[in-house]
């Protein structure tokens, strides 16, 4: 497990309680020491008690990776490259890699799985992605949750699904790696835009229309990139979008809400002290779409607010005229 945040903590809880031995890499030596003393992550989901007979926190990236059969990536997308570039190109040669990151590599504008495949010369059949409406905070409370593991390799997806299933987590396999991963990135942009609208005082009626238009935007974009039959009403797509757009636990919605209320991007980031993946995703998707030229009014509005410093009130006013 790579990453010390809330999702890494939640997944470590699930996997270790299901009997897996988890080598857990974290950047902070202090956090590792705290975990070893108290069995709790001091920064995220600190109520979760972990079994140190099965969970082995470390700051040594090479050791953590060397011992593992599976590598689960749960660091913010912005730090994936700086983290993985410390590893030798053959370090993942015999591993199966699961991305639990709902973001893209900033600057490169590529999916995390595509970056990993290229950097470590791996076939996509060795890669998978975790998706679905599953906030880490609810996993900590053991609320009923649903996950989808997407991979071109059906056996890999099913095997990792089995590692996650328990009395409060249902996990299913799917083979639409690109579609699931792109939609997981885009739902953060939508949630962020919903937050902006909420911060400006728009109500539930408008947000419902925004989300329904967002589904159409996602369908157009993903089909342009990777045309194949897929049901966007499935929980891996629509379910993930809904929970991120509406939930009190959504950091992207929270971030957007602060921007809508008048915070600068920098001040919102500092106050949250957590990474809102949607901020980086907006730029990546917007730039990727310059070639595709798909109609993406919601993504464009978010980009104009966050990167061109256009007034949120002006952008949402323009956006609402494009909805039906």
């Amino acid at each position: 497990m790579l990453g010390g945040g809330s999702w890494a903590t939640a997944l470590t809880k699930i996997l270790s309680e299901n009997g897996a031995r988890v080598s857990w890499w974290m950047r902070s030596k202090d956090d590792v020491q705290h975990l070893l003393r108290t069995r709790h992550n001091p920064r995220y989901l600190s109520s979760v008690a972990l079994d140190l007979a099965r969970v082995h926190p470390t700051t040594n990236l090479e050791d953590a990776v060397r011992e593992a059969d599976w590598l689960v990536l749960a660091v913010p997308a912005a730090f994936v490259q700086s983290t993985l570039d410390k590893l030798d190109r053959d370090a993942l040669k015999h591993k199966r890699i699961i991305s639990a990151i709902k973001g893209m590599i900033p600057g490169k504008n590529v999916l995390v799985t595509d970056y990993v495949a290229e950097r470590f010369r791996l076939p996509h059949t060795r890669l998978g992605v975790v998706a679905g409406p599953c906030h880490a905070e609810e996993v900590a409370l053991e609320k009923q949750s649903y996950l989808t593991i997407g991979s071109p390799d059906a056996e890999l997806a099913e095997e990792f699904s089995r590692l996650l299933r328990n009395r409060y987590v249902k996990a299913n396999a799917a083979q639409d790696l690109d579609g699931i991963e792109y939609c997981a990135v885009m739902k953060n942009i939508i949630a962020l835009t919903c937050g902006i609208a909420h911060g400006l005082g728009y109500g539930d009626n408008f947000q419902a229309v925004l989300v329904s238009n967002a589904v159409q935007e996602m369908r157009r974009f993903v089909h342009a990139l990777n045309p194949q039959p897929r049901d966007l009403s499935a929980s891996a797509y629509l379910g993930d979008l809904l929970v991120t757009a509406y939930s009190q636990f959504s950091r992207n919605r929270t971030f957007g809400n602060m921007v809508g209320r008048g915070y600068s991007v920098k001040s919102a980031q500092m106050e949250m002290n957590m990474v809102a993946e949607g901020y980086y995703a907006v730029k990546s998707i917007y730039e990727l779409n310059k070639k595709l030229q798909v109609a993406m009014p919601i993504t464009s509005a978010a980009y104009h607010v966050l990167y061109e410093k256009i007034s949120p009130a002006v952008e949402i006013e323009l956006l609402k005229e494009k909805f039906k």
Side-chain angles (χ1 to χ4, degrees), residues 159-171:
E159 189 171 343
F160 196 74
S161 295
R162 286 197 297 269
L163 292 175
L164 294 173
R165 291 178 189 136
N166 62 23
R167 64 180 176 79
Y168 59 91
V169 175
K170 292 186 180 294

Side-chain angles (χ1 to χ4, degrees), residues 138-191:
E138 291 200 355
V139 170
L141 296 169
E142 300 189 354
K143 300 280 191 181
Q144 186 65 54
S145 301
Y146 293 77
L147 290 170
T148 299
I149 311 305
S151 174
D153 187 316
E155 186 177 335
L156 179 149
E158 176 56 32
E159 189 171 343
F160 196 74
S161 295
R162 286 197 297 269
L163 292 175
L164 294 173
R165 291 178 189 136
N166 62 23
R167 64 180 176 79
Y168 59 91
V169 175
K170 292 186 180 294
N172 299 296
Q175 291 184 263
D176 182 21
L177 177 64
D178 283 356
I180 289 172
E181 197 167 3
Y182 272 117
C183 285
V185 171
M186 289 189 67
K187 57 93 181 179
N188 287 330
I189 300 172
I190 308 309

Side-chain angles (χ1 to χ4, degrees), residues 24-211:
W24 189 4
W25 176 81
M26 308 171 80
R27 286 189 299 172
S28 170
K29 191 175 292 185
D30 289 343
D31 289 357
V32 168
Q33 291 303 316
H34 185 93
L35 256 166
L36 290 171
R37 286 195 313 271
T38 70
R39 301 192 300 137
H40 297 270
N41 185 339
R43 298 176 188 268
Y44 303 97
L45 305 188
S46 54
S47 64
V48 173
L50 296 158
D51 181 0
L52 295 182
R54 296 192 177 280
V55 178
H56 304 274
T58 179
T59 57
N60 190 310
L61 180 62
E62 289 80 7
D63 284 353
V65 171
R66 188 182 307 113
E67 296 175 5
D69 297 315
W70 296 85
L71 183 66
V72 181
L73 305 175
V75 299
F79 304 131
V80 168
Q81 188 172 357
S82 60
T83 299
L84 294 185
D85 280 1
K86 297 172 186 173
L87 295 172
D88 184 82
R89 289 181 71 90
D90 292 326
L92 308 187
K93 196 171 184 181
H94 302 294
K95 315 292 181 187
R96 288 170 289 181
I97 295 88
I98 300 292
S99 172
I101 304 164
K102 297 177 179 181
M104 299 180 73
I105 307 297
K108 290 184 175 292
N109 302 333
V110 297
L111 296 172
V112 171
T113 54
D114 287 339
Y115 167 74
V116 172
E118 181 183 355
R119 171 70 175 77
F120 296 98
R121 297 171 296 208
L122 298 173
H124 280 79
T125 50
R126 298 271 295 286
L127 299 164
V129 62
V130 179
C134 197
H135 278 305
E137 291 82 358
E138 291 200 355
V139 170
L141 296 169
E142 300 189 354
K143 300 280 191 181
Q144 186 65 54
S145 301
Y146 293 77
L147 290 170
T148 299
I149 311 305
S151 174
D153 187 316
E155 186 177 335
L156 179 149
E158 176 56 32
E159 189 171 343
F160 196 74
S161 295
R162 286 197 297 269
L163 292 175
L164 294 173
R165 291 178 189 136
N166 62 23
R167 64 180 176 79
Y168 59 91
V169 175
K170 292 186 180 294
N172 299 296
Q175 291 184 263
D176 182 21
L177 177 64
D178 283 356
I180 289 172
E181 197 167 3
Y182 272 117
C183 285
V185 171
M186 289 189 67
K187 57 93 181 179
N188 287 330
I189 300 172
I190 308 309
L192 193 155
T193 310
C194 285
I196 292 174
H198 185 266
L200 288 166
Y202 286 83
D204 293 344
N205 292 345
F206 178 73
Q207 180 163 321
V209 174
L210 195 160
V211 170

Side-chain angles (χ1 to χ4, degrees), residues 234-246:
S235 64
Y237 311 96
L238 181 59
D240 206 358
L241 169 61
L242 292 176
V243 78
T244 310
Y246 286 94

